[in-house]
Amino acid sequence: MNIFKFEFKRLLKSCIIWSLVCGALITLFMSLFPTMEDMGMQQIVNDKMGGMPVEFNILLWQVLFMVLY
């Protein structure tokens, strides 16, 4: 149990820092999303996905299905 307490105390600071940085990045990206939506990003994504071969889209959906279920 002493080793667990020692390692927990040793790694707690870096874990908190990483959590704060990840939270800040998520907040930053979420605040930029409305701006990107107005710039036509959805149209660009739809155009790029429409240009992909049908087989790639089928593979993409299969992988997505496997990851989610």
Side-chain angles (χ1 to χ4, degrees):
M1 194 64 175
N2 289 336
I3 294 173
F4 177 75
K5 287 181 182 179
F6 174 74
E7 290 295 327
F8 185 77
K9 287 179 184 178
R10 188 175 69 88
L11 298 174
L12 183 63
K13 182 180 175 183
S14 62
C15 182
I16 291 173
I17 291 172
W18 271 105
S19 298
L20 291 174
V21 168
C22 288
L25 285 174
I26 289 171
T27 304
L28 174 70
F29 289 142
M30 288 177 66
S31 67
L32 290 177
F33 180 73
T35 306
M36 293 190 309
E37 187 177 32
D38 294 339
M39 291 172 37
M41 286 292 187
Q42 187 65 39
Q43 182 64 31
I44 293 171
V45 171
N46 288 340
D47 290 344
K48 295 291 183 186
M49 289 302 289
M52 297 279 182
V54 177
E55 294 82 11
F56 180 76
N57 287 334
I58 292 171
L59 177 67
L60 182 66
W61 282 109
Q62 288 175 347
V63 169
L64 184 64
F65 181 75
M66 286 177 13
V67 168
L68 292 177
Y69 297 105

